[in-house]
C-alpha cells in the first residue's frame, strides 16, 4: 500500500488520519524502512478490514480492550471510530459499564471521562433534565 492508500484506509475507519501514522511514515521514510510500515498496515488490513465482526462492533471491542489496558490515547481514536461506524452514546456508555466488571470503578470512571469528553466536544451529548 502507498502512504496515500494507507491514509485513505484510516479515514475510512476513523474519519481522520491519526498523528501517529504520519510519525510512522516520516520515520520509515527517514530510515529507508517503508517496507516495515507496509508490513504493519498489511497486518492491520487483514485483521480489521477483513474481519467477520461489523465495523461498529470492532470499534467498541477495540475501545473496551484499550480501556482495560489503560491505553487512553488510542482509546480516544476508537471512540471516534465507533461513532463514525454508527455507535450511539448508549453503545459507548455500555462499554463504560462493562468496563466496571473487568476493571472496577477506576476503569469505569476513566472510561466515562473519556467518552463524555468526546461526545461533549462533538456536540453528541444530549443530557436529559434531572
Amino acid at each position: 500500500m502507498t502512504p496515500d492508500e494507507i491514509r485513505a484506509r484510516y479515514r475510512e475507519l476513523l474519519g481522520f488520519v491519526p498523528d501517529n501514522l504520519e510519525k510512522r511514515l516520516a520515520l520509515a521514510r527517514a530510515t529507508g524502512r517503508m517496507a516495515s510500515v507496509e508490513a504493519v498496515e498489511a497486518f492491520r488490513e487483514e485483521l480489521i478490514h477483513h474481519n467477520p465482526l461489523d465495523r461498529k462492533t470492532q470499534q467498541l471491542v477495540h475501545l473496551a480492550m484499550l480501556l482495560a489496558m489503560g491505553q487512553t490515547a488510542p482509546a480516544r481514536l476508537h471512540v471516534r471510530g465507533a461513532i463514525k461506524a454508527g455507535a450511539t452514546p448508549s453503545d459507548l456508555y455500555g462499554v463504560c459499564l462493562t468496563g466496571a466488571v473487568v476493571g472496577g470503578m477506576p476503569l469505569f470512571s476513566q472510561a466515562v471521562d473519556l467518552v463524555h469528553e468526546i461526545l461533549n466536544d462533538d456536540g453528541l451529548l444530549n443530557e436529559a433534565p434531572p
Side-chain angles (χ1 to χ4, degrees):
M1 296 178 88
T2 68
D4 286 340
E5 290 169 330
I6 294 168
R7 287 182 188 100
R9 286 309 247 173
Y10 277 90
R11 282 188 199 95
E12 177 191 335
L13 182 67
L14 301 174
F16 60 96
V17 177
D19 292 339
N20 189 271
L21 174 65
E22 294 301 341
K23 291 174 185 175
R24 277 184 266 162
L25 290 168
L27 189 56
R29 267 192 306 272
T31 59
R33 298 293 315 236
M34 285 304 289
S36 66
V37 173
E38 293 165 9
V40 168
E41 294 304 323
F43 179 72
R44 288 184 77 260
E45 174 76 17
E46 181 59 32
L47 300 181
I48 293 173
H49 295 282
H50 302 284
N51 189 306
L53 295 177
D54 65 80
R55 190 63 52 85
K56 180 176 99 171
T57 302
Q58 281 185 30
Q59 291 301 307
L60 294 171
V61 169
H62 275 114
L63 174 60
M65 294 175 83
L66 288 164
L67 288 168
M69 293 169 53
Q71 299 292 317
T72 56
R76 289 176 181 286
L77 301 177
H78 293 284
V79 170
R80 295 199 185 284
I83 292 167
K84 183 174 186 319
T88 65
S90 292
D91 295 328
L92 293 164
Y93 188 56
V95 171
C96 299
L97 294 170
T98 304
V101 174
V102 175
M105 292 311 294
L107 180 97
F108 172 72
S109 293
Q110 184 179 48
V112 166
D113 285 346
L114 188 144
V115 169
H116 181 277
E117 178 184 322
I118 292 170
L119 290 174
N120 192 51
D121 288 352
D122 290 358
L124 300 173
L125 191 62
N126 299 320
E127 296 183 47

